[in-house]
Amino acid sequence: MQGLARERTRRVMVGSVPLGGGSPVVVQSMTCTPTVDADATLAQVNALVDAGCDLVRVTVPSREALGPFERICHESPVPIVADIHFDYRLAIGAVRAGAAKLRINPGNIGDWERVDAVIDAAGEAGAAIRIGVNAGSLDKRIAERGDLTQPEKLVASSLEFVEHFESRGFDDIVLSAKAHSVPTTIETYRALSRELPHVPLHLGVTEAGTVQQGTIKSAVGLGVLLAEGIGDTMRVSLTADPVEEPPVCWGILQSLGLRRRGPELVSCPTCGRTQVDLIGLAEEAAERLKGCSKPISVAVMGCVVNGPGEASDADVGVACGRGVGMVFRHGEVIRKVPEDQIVDALMEEIDRL
């Protein structure tokens, strides 16, 4: 079969956002505010959208949260995904309140009759469902099988759930099967892509850790899969303010050439040839570029060795000498400025693009 795995998956609409079928990889995160506090949750939803989210997931942990959740759905600038565990009635209430998608683990919803009630409610409301299988919450019947590896257990559970949903005529399915182990994650998603090539996959390394560790694990695990054409939507899970997550997603996507959002800063490591405060210049440039939405590349290079030659494909950049910088555009030097004017000069050139 020809084409990338993500081009072969079925397209699922999550509100107005297309997911799968070769659509751009969708970036997600999740709020951590109490859902009953609609004002705080909406503020975080908006912050996540500003940070780059296409979809935002919100937990619905109780009946008391359904009213505020309905307001959140109606006032959010992007489709809202309801995160549901254990109580199937909350899932039904969430789609009726306006959730564009449910995230459920059928294994903790209850018997098939309750799962079917959720499927029927989602179908009536036009909502999608993400079947979320986790290594830490596998059905006991599968978890205790000694003849299966962890990836095989995750795949077996996923296949069982997808087959049941499809047998009821429900096709608006997205699937995730997460683990905290990067090798397990890669092996599991490769197998899911082979076994269920039509089902869009949500990528993530669960419980990845704090910002540095979580970023590394997610970049390695998700980067490998995305580079192989596997994955239709993603979340980087960090033990941090959720606003930290979308930029990591975008960094991974941008590094692979899959999506662009705002500038890319290219900067070299310092060495004995550097005769300016390169670290300070790069950090100042990165901070000032946060307000730029142009999909451009900006190079901050420490010397002529790593200057316009190696960074000639940058839209704009600077190669530094002793207390000065040679500002260039697409490899062509256009002016020379003193060190204390380098970042200002870069921003001026960016404004002209």
Side-chain angles (χ1 to χ4, degrees), residues 81 123 137 333:
V81 180
S137 57
V333 176

Side-chain angles (χ1 to χ4, degrees), residues 86 88 106-118 161 164:
F86 306 115
Y88 78 104
N108 69 27
I109 288 294
D111 57 30
W112 285 118
E113 184 176 346
R114 293 182 175 184
V115 173
D116 290 346
V118 174
F161 290 140
H164 181 82

Side-chain angles (χ1 to χ4, degrees), residues 161-175:
F161 290 140
V162 169
E163 288 170 3
H164 181 82
F165 276 60
E166 291 182 338
S167 73
R168 294 187 58 81
F170 189 88
D171 295 328
D172 290 330
I173 302 166
V174 182
L175 176 64

Side-chain angles (χ1 to χ4, degrees), residues 220-240:
V220 173
L222 307 192
V224 166
L225 293 166
L226 289 165
E228 294 178 0
I230 297 170
D232 304 274
T233 178
M234 64 188 294
R235 179 196 177 188
V236 168
S237 300
L238 302 176
T239 308

Side-chain angles (χ1 to χ4, degrees), residues 16-17 42 45-47 49-50 53-54 56 72-80:
S16 59
V17 176
L42 279 166
V45 167
N46 281 287
V49 173
D50 289 343
C53 279
D54 302 303
V56 175
I72 293 163
C73 290
H74 290 164
E75 296 184 20
S76 169
V78 296
I80 293 294

Side-chain angles (χ1 to χ4, degrees), residues 23-39:
S23 302
V25 177
V26 171
V27 173
Q28 302 188 38
S29 184
M30 184 176 181
T31 59
C32 62
T33 52
T35 306
V36 291
D37 187 342
D39 288 333

Side-chain angles (χ1 to χ4, degrees), residues 7-284:
E7 294 172 343
R8 302 196 300 266
T9 58
R10 179 193 295 127
R11 178 168 292 190
V12 173
M13 294 302 298
V14 182
S16 59
V17 176
L19 196 159
S23 302
V25 177
V26 171
V27 173
Q28 302 188 38
S29 184
M30 184 176 181
T31 59
C32 62
T33 52
T35 306
V36 291
D37 187 342
D39 288 333
T41 303
L42 279 166
Q44 194 165 77
V45 167
N46 281 287
L48 288 169
V49 173
D50 289 343
C53 279
D54 302 303
L55 301 174
V56 175
R57 183 155 49 111
V58 175
T59 187
V60 183
S62 64
R63 292 184 182 181
E64 291 73 25
L66 283 171
F69 179 78
E70 182 171 11
R71 180 188 158 201
I72 293 163
C73 290
H74 290 164
E75 296 184 20
S76 169
V78 296
I80 293 294
V81 180
D83 188 76
I84 307 293
H85 291 277
F86 306 115
D87 193 338
Y88 78 104
R89 294 166 297 183
L90 294 177
I92 294 171
V95 292
R96 291 175 178 170
K101 185 172 77 169
L102 295 173
R103 186 279 185 193
I104 63 170
N105 181 344
N108 69 27
I109 288 294
D111 57 30
W112 285 118
E113 184 176 346
R114 293 182 175 184
V115 173
D116 290 346
V118 174
I119 294 172
D120 293 343
E124 291 169 7
I129 295 178
R130 169 155 70 96
I131 299 172
V133 180
N134 274 45
S137 57
L138 285 168
D139 184 280
K140 186 177 181 181
R141 173 175 47 85
I142 294 176
E144 293 182 349
R145 285 187 57 177
D147 60 322
L148 298 179
T149 64
Q150 187 76 324
E152 288 171 339
K153 292 175 183 179
L154 287 163
V155 172
S157 182
S158 300
L159 287 170
E160 184 176 280
F161 290 140
V162 169
E163 288 170 3
H164 181 82
F165 276 60
E166 291 182 338
S167 73
R168 294 187 58 81
F170 189 88
D171 295 328
D172 290 330
I173 302 166
V174 182
L175 176 64
S176 66
K178 294 185 179 182
H180 65 81
S181 161
V182 171
T184 296
T185 297
I186 293 172
E187 187 176 345
T188 299
Y189 277 99
R190 283 173 173 166
L192 289 174
S193 185
R194 291 192 303 268
E195 298 290 334
L196 297 166
H198 60 291
V199 178
L201 297 177
H202 171 92
L203 302 184
V205 177
T206 193
E207 300 153 359
T210 53
V211 173
Q212 182 178 19
Q213 176 179 293
T215 296
I216 293 168
K217 291 177 70 173
S218 297
V220 173
L222 307 192
V224 166
L225 293 166
L226 289 165
E228 294 178 0
I230 297 170
D232 304 274
T233 178
M234 64 188 294
R235 179 196 177 188
V236 168
S237 300
L238 302 176
T239 308
D241 186 327
V243 175
E244 300 267 9
E245 297 178 356
V248 179
C249 292
W250 281 99
I252 296 169
L253 294 172
Q254 188 159 297
S255 296
L256 293 169
L258 295 176
R259 288 185 75 178
R260 291 287 299 270
R261 183 180 188 269
E264 175 186 15
L265 180 65
V266 179
S267 60
C268 64
T270 61
C271 71
R273 292 186 301 269
T274 306
Q275 300 180 75
V276 296
D277 177 16
L278 183 66
I279 295 173
L281 289 171
E283 289 178 346
E284 183 183 352

